[in-house]
Amino acid sequence: MRNFLPLTFVAMSLSACSMLSGPSSSTLEELARNALIASAGNDPAGVAAAKAAKIETKGLCNSQAEKDTYVCGIEVTGKMPGDAQEGTRTLIVKAKKNASGKWVSVD
């Protein structure tokens, strides 16, 4: 049990750091949903699936060397066009503050 305490402390420290200066969960989820909608293009079924998908942040957001840039894990659950059944996928969202201070998704 004692061996897990340092690891738990490090994880909590990283989480707190991201929560203090990084994007909020709702911001990350919005960025992920917008990326899914954009990737569907003109496919109405794909847009509808992206809008209906359950999107949650999972794990830690890691700050990058570039100022105000974070890479975060997002879990998407839903039935996308062409899928036989509903499934869960993990996406990585890279978020950065733009010149006006708003979080945006970057490649």
Side-chain angles (χ1 to χ4, degrees):
M1 179 73 167
R2 245 188 280 192
N3 294 338
F4 292 108
L5 289 178
L7 182 59
T8 303
F9 177 71
V10 169
M12 288 173 55
S13 297
L14 289 172
S15 293
C17 179
S18 294
M19 288 188 302
L20 292 175
S21 62
S24 67
S25 292
S26 61
T27 297
L28 291 168
E29 292 161 12
E30 178 184 354
L31 293 175
R33 187 171 311 281
N34 290 342
L36 285 173
I37 291 169
S39 71
N42 293 329
D43 177 17
V47 171
K51 287 181 178 180
K54 178 182 173 188
I55 299 177
E56 301 178 279
T57 54
K58 292 288 183 181
L60 297 174
C61 279
N62 296 313
S63 63
Q64 302 297 293
E66 191 176 351
K67 186 177 190 256
D68 291 329
T69 304
Y70 288 81
V71 175
C72 307
I74 304 291
E75 188 174 276
V76 178
T77 304
K79 185 175 180 198
M80 296 297 164
D83 288 353
Q85 60 188 13
E86 183 175 290
T88 300
R89 294 183 175 101
T90 300
L91 301 177
I92 302 299
V93 172
K94 185 175 181 182
K96 177 181 172 102
K97 281 190 180 178
N98 64 12
S100 64
K102 181 178 179 184
W103 289 104
V104 295
S105 181
V106 293
D107 294 328

